[in-house]
Amino acid sequence: MVASDGGLATRQRPDWSLTGAELAGMVQDSGGDGLDVRLLVAAGPQIRPTIQAMASELGRDVLVAPTGSELRFTPSGLEPGLRSARRADVDLGGGVGRDVVPVDLVTGHPVDWLLVQPSGDQTYGQSWFELSGGMVLEREGTVALPLPGGGLSLATRDDFVHRRSAAATMRPGHPSVLTVAVGVRAGDFVVGDYDGRVSLRDGRQLAAALAPLPLYGQHLRLWLSWPERAEERRRLDLNLTLLAETTGATVWAPAEGGRVEIMEGCRDLSVIHRDARPGRWERYGSPAGQVLFQTDVDGRLVPAGGVVTTGYPGVPLVSVPAAHEQSRLAIYERQQPSQAIFRADLAVLADGRLALRYRDDSLLAAGERQISQLLEVAGWRGTDLMLLSTISPERAAGARQHADRLGRYLRCGVTLSEAPNPRPRWAPAEPAPPGPEPDPLASPPVARAIPVEASPFPMPRAAPTPTAPAPAAAARPIPAPTPEPATTHRSAAQPSQEVAPAGKPLTAAPTPAAGPAAATSTSTGHESTVPAGIGKHTLPPYPAPAATGALTELDPGELSVADRMDTARALAADDGSRQTELAGAHAVNTRLVSGTAVAPVDGPKRAETTGPEAPGREADPPPDPFAVPLPVTTSRFIDGPRLTVAPRSSTWHGLTWLTPQPQVNEEACELFVECAVDPDVAVADGVPSPGLFLLAHLDAVSLSARTRAGHLLALRVGPGGAVDVAASEVEPPPALAPALRGRDVYVLPAGWLDRCRIVAALSVGPHGSLEPDRQWPDAPVNLLCRGAAHGVPGLPNEVQRWPRGRLHTATTRFIMVRADSPKGLGRWQRLHRQRPPALPGHRLIEVLVDRGRAIDVVGTARTLAELPRVRTMLPQLTADSTEHILPIASYPYVRVEREFVAEGREWRRIRPSAFRTLEAWRPEPA
């Protein structure tokens, strides 16, 4: 019960608040040691610390009713097929056969129990039981916790809490490596079930347990520890070899006697030897050929070839993506060598960890020994370190933690260059304060965030026109783990060698006040006036196309797509001196310096013939020697709509890997989607997509430059229709992660497509040019399933797999196919539970289907029934009473057991010529 001071108390002592240790003692005394606990009380803020202490003392999860709810009794058999977490019915005054459920005080609907973990971490919320609709339900099957990067952690009841905490601490490594954490006992692998049973598996049996993972041809990294006894080690070595042979994967495990741990700072896995030194990874089952991965000085698994770095006089160590380095050349060349501070520029991952660029262009978090080795090779001698890495606000916390850890290891001060906090969209820019800017290099403390000269956010601006090319940086790959000998750095170039000899410094100026006033910039001797509002992300409804006047009289809020395209072409024709965008040409190129607006920068001059200057024309200003060429891209953070948490709704978005309440657009916006079919077909039948979502982009110009589709569709997305996956802090599937790395990409879930409308189509030219094609007043957006990885047209990637049983890993089924079919087996085949009636001219194939290789038609139809905007072939399949189908992607993994030929009304068995898979099947002679 709740005490008078808000704490928890017993009925015998209602005024005495219990501590977490006292509550844990009561649970242990009543026989609940080793079990999860459910407190039948609402968790107010004042008792959260007590409950947290109780969970830590017990080492188990504690379930409490969330704030704003009350406990009510409901029949435990209300949901058929769902079982309570406890076999015994709860009888706390509600009567036998009833369970207790938290109910929201406002809506009256059941709400989920609040999970309090022993570690205090609330970001990884999977518990031993399934929490659904206020019920606490038993899970079934193998205990497998998801790991970052798409791997799994196999757990038992005893180590579930520990492995869950480790999974929450770990961060993704190389995208081509899958990680599986598993315990080892007596040389075998330990696998647990949710019913509490624990089994020991050999290499082949573990491969069966990992059937949901696509392991064939992949690199599999095992997170385990070697046993102590010699015979157990020999057994484990044999099992690792069997696992590699069975899965067809390259298996990486710690060398004999080692163990795998999470490194502090980078949060990646490393091998630790028995003497606490970094160990190495051992390879099992890899075919002969090029070795793609190796062990670095920290004991981590990294790409072969080592780290790629470049050096400059003032910035001796640079390891960032090539495009990013090219955009920051002017910053590197402007820095002068210093004896007091060592400058470096490292990449920054999405979670804020400092990273290094490797030979395969991948970015991996920097390890302590690895960064120390690279610094020494680059000439670092123990001075304070200044990192020029571009760090956005959402990555600042992670970067500070990593930098602080590196500083403690290197025993020096580490200074971070961090992006300033952006101004709210509605706030006008303030003029720069008078006086010189503070020196960013003065007395840098450890992990102090300071602004850098150039904004880390790419803003539209024109590139400078230097009179002499900048000196090229020499790339020096650093192989791992053996460092290269120190190289001699080139001396600092004179200013006259780096930049144009003449130039005007940029002057700070306030941004013009919001309104329809136009901004003017001068380039190549004539003026062009551009509406200041073009390019806003929130667009009103499209009017019918109408004739427009001069650019100075246009209201961007009334422009259709066609009008805006005409405007963009007009600005592009304005002698090519300005960057333009589809949604409004940003002709005034600006940048941010420490959060202050800077005067517009003119574009590059047009080549002119020799002769006297035109009368009345002023000479163009010389190029800015300090201008930094930044890519002209659109960013969700700057140009996108404001975000908010999706409200609780009965509408499911349709994506199992996405949190129920992700970060979505708070205001309406316009996004662009690739369309590989005729736009009229897309409007009538649906926009083709392999998954239950569409990828939408803010920037149509950059999208048209890289797409292979012939059209782009302009979509008006209402509030709550577009998801910012990065802001939602979820791990997308590995296959989807590369597509979501774009700065302007959003996800439009299939369940929320009713909030979107197609308003226009744009045709993409051979060189990425855009032309307005056609418009619609308000066409609904439907999704047509096409191009899924399993190869079945009309079904999405997110299908229900079959078989799913935990006891049997393979099932026998029958396939009936025409012996003379010109298409062979086709894209998919129906699986029959029993032998169907014999048909002349047909063959019957008995196949062995491993777990997850087939598609459950009934289960998939049940799931997609909640997504009315998705167009599939499921209605035809269910009408034919089809239960399961075998996709073409599974043919290589399905074994042919027997083959039959039709003779009259019977099937006659024929002997296959050799063992084969379904992929190699050809009709045998009868």
Side-chain angles (χ1 to χ4, degrees), residues 282-293:
E282 191 77 25
R283 183 179 52 170
Y284 291 82
S286 176
Q290 183 181 7
V291 178
L292 300 181
F293 292 93

Side-chain angles (χ1 to χ4, degrees), residues 109-409:
H109 296 298
V111 294
D112 288 336
W113 291 86
L114 181 66
L115 176 65
V116 181
Q117 302 180 21
S119 63
D121 185 11
Q122 300 299 326
T123 61
Y124 193 99
Q126 179 170 330
S127 67
W128 183 263
F129 300 99
E130 181 179 357
L131 308 179
S132 177
M135 304 291 289
V136 183
L137 311 170
E138 289 180 347
R139 297 183 186 269
E140 295 182 348
T142 302
V143 184
L145 299 170
L147 290 177
L152 293 175
S153 178
L154 302 179
T156 65
R157 190 64 179 101
D158 293 334
D159 63 5
F160 177 83
V161 173
H162 169 73
R163 291 193 177 275
R164 181 183 59 189
S165 178
T169 304
M170 176 191 169
R171 291 295 179 265
H174 195 279
S176 298
V177 176
L178 280 175
T179 302
V180 170
V182 61
V184 175
R185 185 185 304 170
D188 288 329
F189 303 107
V190 181
V191 177
D193 287 349
Y194 277 108
D195 59 8
R197 292 182 298 174
V198 176
S199 59
L200 299 182
R201 311 282 183 93
D202 60 16
R204 293 191 181 94
Q205 293 169 334
L206 179 62
L210 299 178
L213 295 179
L215 298 180
Y216 184 79
Q218 300 297 320
H219 290 268
L220 174 61
R221 179 176 60 171
L222 290 183
W223 183 355
L224 54 79
S225 299
W226 279 80
E228 294 292 335
R229 301 175 60 182
E231 60 272 18
E232 294 179 356
R233 293 184 181 181
R234 288 192 295 268
R235 173 69 177 172
L236 178 57
D237 184 77
L238 174 62
N239 283 328
L240 291 173
T241 303
L242 290 176
L243 176 64
E245 293 176 352
T246 306
T247 60
T250 301
V251 176
W252 297 89
E256 183 174 339
R259 67 182 186 277
V260 178
E261 293 183 355
I262 301 177
M263 289 188 62
E264 292 188 35
C266 69
R267 297 194 182 186
D268 199 0
L269 299 182
S270 69
V271 175
I272 305 299
H273 200 261
R274 283 174 294 182
D275 56 4
R277 293 183 296 106
R280 62 181 177 86
W281 292 89
E282 191 77 25
R283 183 179 52 170
Y284 291 82
S286 176
Q290 183 181 7
V291 178
L292 300 181
F293 292 93
Q294 63 186 28
T295 308
D296 71 354
V297 294
D298 287 294
R300 299 190 304 153
L301 191 63
V302 299
V307 179
V308 176
T309 68
T310 53
Y312 301 83
V315 190
L317 177 60
V318 175
S319 185
V320 296
H324 184 72
E325 180 179 354
Q326 187 67 25
S327 68
R328 293 171 61 84
L329 283 177
I331 292 181
Y332 302 148
E333 299 295 340
R334 192 161 62 245
Q335 305 298 329
Q336 297 299 323
S338 173
Q339 298 295 327
I341 196 166
F342 187 94
R343 299 185 189 90
D345 192 7
L346 305 180
V348 181
L349 300 180
D351 53 16
R353 291 177 296 161
L354 305 174
L356 300 168
R357 173 190 166 203
Y358 283 79
R359 278 280 191 173
D360 62 351
D361 285 333
S362 62
L363 299 178
L364 296 184
E368 298 164 356
R369 293 176 178 85
Q370 180 73 297
I371 195 67
S372 176
Q373 182 187 83
L374 295 174
L375 288 171
E376 291 175 0
V377 171
W380 176 70
R381 295 298 180 264
T383 58
D384 286 346
L385 183 63
M386 180 180 185
L387 300 180
L388 303 181
S389 307
T390 55
I391 303 172
S392 55
E394 64 270 17
R395 304 180 183 183
R400 290 194 194 98
Q401 293 177 3
H402 198 178
D404 184 63
R405 175 65 186 180
L406 292 176
R408 291 197 301 270
Y409 179 82

Side-chain angles (χ1 to χ4, degrees), residues 582-674:
L582 171 67
H586 295 279
V588 183
N589 296 309
T590 61
R591 66 171 178 170
L592 295 178
V593 178
S594 302
T596 305
V598 181
V601 182
D602 290 334
K605 286 183 61 177
R606 179 180 59 182
E608 300 180 3
T609 57
T610 307
E613 216 167 84
R617 177 186 176 199
E618 298 181 2
D620 291 328
D624 177 17
F626 299 105
V628 182
L630 295 177
V632 182
T633 59
T634 302
S635 167
R636 299 188 310 272
F637 184 76
I638 293 179
D639 306 289
R642 289 187 295 268
L643 299 179
T644 185
V645 178
R648 291 188 177 182
S649 172
S650 58
T651 304
W652 178 47
H653 51 59
L655 301 178
T656 57
W657 53 267
L658 189 63
T659 179
Q661 294 180 268
Q663 293 283 334
V664 296
N665 57 314
E666 186 180 9
E667 52 196 354
C669 62
E670 183 180 69
L671 300 176
F672 299 89
V673 174
E674 299 177 69

Side-chain angles (χ1 to χ4, degrees), residues 418-596:
E418 190 172 297
N421 292 329
R423 265 189 344 273
R425 303 177 187 275
W426 56 87
E430 298 178 359
E437 295 185 358
D439 182 9
L441 305 183
S443 304
V446 176
R448 179 173 65 93
I450 64 172
V452 73
E453 292 99 328
S455 168
F457 304 109
M459 298 294 291
R461 59 167 301 149
T465 309
T467 58
R476 59 168 190 276
I478 306 297
T482 305
E484 287 186 357
T487 57
T488 303
H489 299 284
R490 54 189 173 87
S491 59
Q494 299 296 326
S496 59
Q497 298 173 335
E498 293 187 359
V499 295
K504 284 186 178 180
L506 295 174
T507 56
T511 301
T520 305
S521 63
T522 303
S523 177
T524 69
H526 61 275
E527 295 185 354
S528 66
T529 307
V530 184
I534 289 184
K536 294 193 297 182
H537 55 269
T538 303
L539 298 177
Y542 282 85
T548 57
L551 291 179
T552 53
E553 300 175 358
L554 289 178
D555 182 359
E558 299 177 358
L559 294 180
S560 66
V561 169
D563 297 329
R564 281 177 292 176
M565 285 299 303
D566 294 337
T567 303
R569 285 194 295 271
L571 292 171
D574 189 6
D575 98 312
S577 62
R578 297 174 181 85
Q579 301 288 344
T580 61
E581 293 186 1
L582 171 67
H586 295 279
V588 183
N589 296 309
T590 61
R591 66 171 178 170
L592 295 178
V593 178
S594 302
T596 305

